[in-house]
Amino acid sequence: MTAGHVPWPPGTAARYRAAGHWRGQTFGALLTSLASAYGDRTAVVGGATRWTFAELDDRAHRMASGLAAAGFVAGERVVVQLPNVPDFLPVVFGLWRAGVLPVFALPAHRGSELRHIAGQSGAAGIITVGEHERHDHTATAREVAADTASVRRVLVAGSEEFEALAATAPRELPDPDPAGVAFLQLSGGSTGLPKLIPRTHDDYLYSVRESARICALRPDSVYLAALPVAHNFPLSSPGVLGALHAGAATVMAPRPDADTAFRLIEAERVTITGVVPPLAAAWVQAAGRTGRDLSSLEVLLVGGAKCGRELAERIGPALGCRLQQVFGMAEGLVCYTRLDDPEDIVLETQGRPISLDDEIRVVDPETGEDVPDGASGALLTRGPYTIRGYYRAEEHNATAFTGDGFYRTGDLVRRTPGGHLEVVGRAKEQINRGGEKVAAEEVENHLMAHPAVLDAAVVAVPDPYLGERTCAYVVPVAGAEPTGPELRTFVRGRGVAAFKVPDLVQVVGEFPVTGVGKTSKRELRAALAALARKE
Ligand code: AMP
Ligand code: DBH
């Protein structure tokens, strides 16, 4: 058992095993069996690299041995901050085989997030890259390592030291417990800082296996990883792990723009990929004037934020493929429209859960009573791959989960009589910036660290391209006159992901809503968001 992990009740776990959901296989063991089934087929392509399943298996085996020789021991955590490069896979499978838990950071994260993630997980190391998208990741990782006591080592993919580790003579290592925590995923969060999500081999493999089946992946499928692979969507829905599971190839796109993606779709005959709605819109537009051959593309998954009917209708005709909507969360539950669902379901809903054992409740947010099908309410869920608690977050868990283990997703949904869910809104204090989640409180805390800021409230405002973007209302301390650009620069300078820097800043004498004197931040945000929508 992993400290800080809330396990499923023993009876429930036994039921998931008896149902065949949890099969007692680790990711490391999975790769071994994939290598024997698909040895000389292509597993991953990216840049000048092209590895077969056998080569990937060998590199992951050596990596595990190298990590063990470097002193990493089973149960330790290591932050992985890698962009879409083939080495993502041997690193992660290497850690899994060594029993070390990867902690997934996004390439967009900067010092502030990395410090939090490393500190919260008590990470023993950080695996990163050199420069990527004009940011020196090695420098940031070294700074974080210097003031995080637990971090002993920073490894830089592509460096000589890293290559030596990846070439270590392979040796047998004990397979970790498949019921134990395999890795820590990040939540978009709605309170202060991102929470860590402990996922087990058993539970995650179930969602990966079923996702691969639902998305009809087969050995001759080719999956394009367009979004950053550490994110739960391109990792597992069905993502690179679903592709591997099916014996299919993954192509790592360095960037998700239409030019890059279309070039790779043509060159590698990509059959399936996944994007967030703003990217889908950009691809739809670009498809009209591309000279690239996109005819291999069969399925485009769209998720991470709501894909409206208008956009949904344009995808098939523009890209010559089938749309599959996906509504998921790193905490667990993933819903898909099925490839044989009627058109209206595909265009209008965000799908239905992976598993018949996913328990769904739609409740009145005030009373907690279940609402009838067709009415909107707050989505609660419990099931064979949905966590029962965040990692080392006892206090937060008391409100994020019900007493009987349902996760409060913070999403407002409507359920059709057929069990499909339509996402209609959100009850959590989060801005969904085209699939990138921004916790209002986290940004407010950064703003309030500025000496001229007395109070701040961050809310979503509608945006035609992103769906939503962030607006920060800021009340200055008496006599101070901070400007929007100054505050944006300040937040950026605190070392946060660029997508968290407020898009709009309104400096106001007092919060421009009446009667907020004594209301909670939550009510204030709701009133400001309503005001911002009207402006
Ligand atoms: P996270 O908990 O950070 O993994 O983010 C998951 C959240 O993203 C969900 O709870 C939803 O709020 C949002 N989300 C994901 N997919 C969709 C979708 N297809 N439509 C609307 N919201 C989505
Ligand atoms: O937004 C998400 O977190 C998400 C979207 C689609 C996700 O975690 C997933 C599919 O698995």
Side-chain angles (χ1 to χ4, degrees):
M1 220 177 86
T2 311
H5 175 228
V6 183
W8 284 262
T12 309
R15 187 154 60 79
Y16 295 154
R17 286 198 183 90
H21 302 334
W22 295 0
R23 298 191 175 170
Q25 187 185 41
T26 62
F27 279 97
L30 168 71
L31 183 57
T32 306
S33 71
L34 291 173
S36 74
Y38 305 107
D40 55 4
R41 292 186 66 94
T42 301
V44 60
V45 178
T49 302
R50 187 173 285 270
W51 287 325
T52 64
F53 278 85
E55 287 166 332
L56 171 60
D57 176 52
D58 178 63
R59 191 165 169 89
H61 202 164
R62 290 172 186 275
M63 190 75 75
S65 308
L67 289 164
F72 291 103
V73 299
E76 283 190 323
R77 281 81 50 209
V78 165
V79 175
V80 175
Q81 189 183 35
L82 292 175
N84 290 9
V85 290
D87 255 325
F88 179 86
L89 290 173
V91 163
V92 169
F93 277 93
L95 289 164
W96 278 333
R97 282 186 169 157
V100 178
L101 283 55
V103 188
F104 291 117
L106 295 171
H109 287 144
R110 294 293 175 262
S112 150
E113 289 101 355
L114 215 56
R115 192 168 279 110
H116 167 69
I117 295 164
Q120 189 68 20
S121 63
I126 301 175
I127 303 183
T128 189
V129 280
E131 190 167 304
H132 172 72
E133 300 283 330
R134 296 191 306 280
H135 180 73
D136 185 346
H137 283 272
T138 305
T140 302
R142 291 206 200 287
E143 281 164 29
V144 170
D147 45 41
T148 308
S150 60
V151 177
R152 302 190 299 267
R153 183 108 182 233
V154 172
L155 273 167
V156 181
S159 68
E160 241 173 71
E161 177 191 31
F162 176 87
E163 285 307 321
L165 201 117
T168 307
R171 67 178 171 95
E172 282 315 307
L173 293 161
D175 202 28
D177 176 7
V181 177
F183 62 92
L184 299 172
Q185 185 56 282
L186 285 192
S187 95
S190 55
T191 56
L193 285 159
K195 300 285 175 298
L196 298 175
I197 299 170
R199 301 293 300 260
T200 66
H201 296 267
D202 271 336
D203 92 73
Y204 208 62
L205 258 176
Y206 173 52
S207 79
V208 164
R209 187 168 69 239
E210 287 302 300
S211 293
R213 189 181 58 76
I214 290 167
C215 301
L217 286 172
R218 19 166 237 277
D220 62 347
S221 300
V222 180
Y223 178 82
L224 181 75
L227 299 171
V229 279
H231 189 279
N232 203 59
F233 175 13
L235 187 63
S236 67
S237 300
V240 297
L241 295 176
L244 279 177
H245 194 280
T250 289
V251 179
M252 295 284 190
R255 276 175 304 281
D257 60 276
D259 279 355
T260 307
F262 290 2
R263 174 175 57 78
L264 291 169
I265 291 171
E266 179 181 75
E268 301 292 343
R269 307 294 297 159
V270 168
T271 62
I272 177 168
T273 182
V275 293
V276 290
L279 257 178
W283 285 18
V284 161
Q285 234 175 17
R289 48 185 161 71
T290 186
R292 300 290 184 188
D293 174 7
L294 307 179
S295 62
S296 57
L297 195 64
E298 295 166 6
V299 175
L300 182 70
L301 289 129
V302 180
K306 172 82 175 255
C307 176
R309 175 156 188 147
E310 218 169 275
L311 172 60
E313 277 178 354
R314 294 168 64 201
I315 288 169
L319 295 163
C321 65
R322 182 109 179 113
L323 163 67
Q324 193 167 20
Q325 295 217 35
V326 51
F327 161 47
M329 53 206 73
E331 288 82 355
L333 181 70
V334 182
C335 301
Y336 295 97
T337 56
R338 302 308 199 258
L339 292 168
D340 57 0
D341 272 341
E343 199 63 7
D344 270 350
I345 297 284
V346 175
L347 296 175
E348 269 170 20
T349 80
Q350 280 61 58
R352 60 182 165 87
I354 285 181
S355 172
L356 290 174
D357 282 324
D358 282 320
E359 298 173 69
I360 298 292
R361 287 184 62 199
V362 183
V363 304
D364 182 316
E366 305 301 324
T367 65
E369 300 289 328
D370 292 81
V371 301
D373 282 351
S376 66
L379 171 66
L380 311 183
T381 186
R382 183 169 80 168
Y385 60 97
T386 296
I387 56 164
R388 294 300 183 112
Y390 291 98
Y391 183 71
R392 296 182 175 171
E394 221 168 294
E395 204 177 315
H396 183 63
N397 287 340
T399 54
F401 296 83
T402 64
D404 55 355
F406 278 84
Y407 168 55
R408 298 182 203 273
T409 65
D411 293 309
L412 299 176
V413 303
R414 235 193 321 254
R415 180 168 46 187
T416 70
H420 286 82
L421 300 180
E422 187 194 344
V423 181
V424 295
R426 195 168 53 236
K428 53 191 167 191
E429 308 289 277
Q430 187 185 72
I431 297 93
N432 190 333
R433 209 175 164 282
E436 290 183 308
K437 318 303 184 319
V438 181
E441 192 184 325
E442 182 181 356
V443 180
E444 287 161 3
N445 289 340
H446 285 298
L447 286 163
M448 270 158 11
H450 191 288
V453 174
L454 179 68
D455 204 356
V458 173
V459 301
V461 293
D463 181 80
Y465 178 63
L466 292 171
E468 296 176 8
R469 55 186 180 150
T470 51
C471 176
Y473 285 91
V474 171
V475 178
V477 298
E481 291 178 4
T483 64
E486 182 186 336
L487 291 173
R488 286 169 44 88
T489 304
F490 175 76
V491 172
R492 188 175 294 112
R494 291 188 42 96
V496 303
F499 66 81
K500 292 182 190 165
V501 176
D503 295 296
L504 299 169
V505 179
Q506 302 264 20
V507 181
V508 291
E510 56 184 26
F511 289 122
V513 276
T514 49
V516 294
K518 282 209 166 63
T519 54
S520 67
K521 197 75 171 236
R522 179 182 248 296
E523 287 168 64
L524 171 66
R525 288 191 192 110
L528 286 173
L531 184 79
R533 275 196 299 274
K534 282 198 216 104
E535 274 173 0

